[in-house]
């Protein structure tokens, strides 16, 4: 079972999203924490993928994605951004083009595509 870390900043919505991912057969971890604590946890024990919900705080989601690509221990972890307003998602895609982007109803396909991506030389934003 693949380990997936869900990044979300709303407890009730995160519970629903985590249940969705678990129903697809993933071992999902989620907890409400500040970005600094979250990044320390991810660097110490990188999951097999990180799913970042863009519905609540797209700028914070972008920043977490960038921090994961900048840090050597998490640089090659597949990133999947889910949901979010299209105009904000486009701006994040410009910064992190090697991540997957999907609506929540397409999350299974996005995760599979993320694992197929070649992240030997991931985009590392400056």
């Amino acid at each position: 079972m693949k380990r997936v870390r869900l990044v979300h900043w709303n407890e009730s919505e995160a519970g629903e999203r985590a249940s969705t991912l678990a129903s697809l057969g993933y071992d999902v971890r989620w907890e409400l924490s500040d970005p600094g604590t979250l990044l320390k946890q991810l660097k110490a024990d990188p999951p097999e993928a990180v799913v970042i919900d863009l519905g609540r705080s797209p700028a914070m989601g972008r920043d977490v994605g960038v921090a994961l690509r900048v840090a050597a221990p998490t640089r090659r972890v597949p990133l999947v951004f889910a949901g979010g307003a299209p105009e904000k998602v486009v701006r994040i895609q410009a910064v992190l083009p090697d991540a997957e982007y999907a609506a929540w109803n397409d999350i299974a396909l996005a995760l599979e595509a993320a694992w197929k991506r070649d992240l030997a030389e991931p985009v590392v934003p400056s």
Side-chain angles (χ1 to χ4, degrees):
M1 185 178 310
K2 291 187 177 182
R3 292 182 317 121
V4 174
R5 179 64 185 253
L6 173 63
V7 177
H8 202 301
W9 290 276
N10 178 278
E11 194 166 352
S12 62
E13 285 180 13
E16 293 173 23
R17 301 303 190 199
S19 293
T20 297
L21 293 167
S23 73
L24 295 171
Y26 300 112
D27 177 13
V28 183
R29 181 173 177 200
W30 174 85
E31 62 191 55
L32 191 59
S33 59
D34 64 274
T37 301
L38 172 68
L39 292 169
K40 284 180 188 175
Q41 292 170 345
L42 290 169
K43 289 176 192 176
D45 185 23
E48 293 175 85
V50 175
V51 176
I52 301 172
D53 188 285
L54 296 176
R56 287 282 175 156
S57 183
M60 196 177 309
R62 177 206 59 222
D63 292 349
V64 168
V66 167
L68 291 172
R69 280 290 188 260
V70 169
T74 56
R75 186 168 294 151
R76 289 178 179 80
V77 173
L79 299 178
V80 177
F81 289 93
E87 65 277 5
K88 294 182 180 183
V89 172
V90 168
R91 291 195 302 256
I92 297 169
Q93 283 176 310
V95 176
L96 293 163
D98 60 353
E100 288 295 322
Y101 297 83
W104 270 103
N105 59 349
D106 293 326
I107 198 66
L109 294 172
L111 276 163
E112 290 304 315
W115 280 307
K116 291 178 184 175
R117 278 190 179 266
D118 179 9
L119 291 175
E121 294 185 34
V123 172
V124 180
S126 57

